[in-house]
Amino acid sequence: EQGSGRVVHARLSGTDLLFHVWLAFVRDHLASIIGVIFLVPIAISMDWRMSCVLFFLALIYGIANYKIVKKTHSRQEQIA
């Protein structure tokens, strides 16, 4: 049977790449998500007025980030 080595190599490289994707997700995003899930209710229970300020600052950050990414994407399309 020829080609069985290619199949094994494809499976091993696929699982290796999948491992690296999950590792990057766990390192970067999972800690942030868990932090937000725990910290937002604690912030609301401590002082709801400051929580509102935090929410509006996060909203402004999200809108600014969206606009910057959109502008960058459109300008990169002009170059390419």
Side-chain angles (χ1 to χ4, degrees):
E1 290 184 27
Q2 289 184 344
S4 63
R6 291 182 191 156
V7 172
V8 171
H9 177 70
R11 285 186 177 204
L12 288 176
S13 64
T15 55
D16 191 39
L17 291 173
L18 189 59
F19 170 75
H20 288 294
V21 168
W22 276 103
L23 183 63
F25 172 76
V26 169
R27 280 184 184 163
D28 298 336
H29 303 294
L30 190 62
S32 300
I33 291 169
I34 290 173
V36 167
I37 287 172
F38 285 116
L39 292 177
V40 168
I42 291 172
I44 292 171
S45 69
M46 289 176 67
D47 188 3
W48 66 271
R49 292 173 298 227
M50 290 301 281
S51 300
C52 290
V53 172
L54 178 66
F55 174 74
F56 286 118
L57 286 174
L59 188 66
I60 290 169
Y61 173 78
I63 291 170
N65 199 5
Y66 174 76
K67 287 185 177 185
I68 290 169
V69 168
K70 187 176 176 183
K71 182 184 277 189
T72 303
H73 182 68
S74 66
R75 289 192 177 177
Q76 293 234 343
E77 283 181 346
Q78 291 174 357
I79 294 172

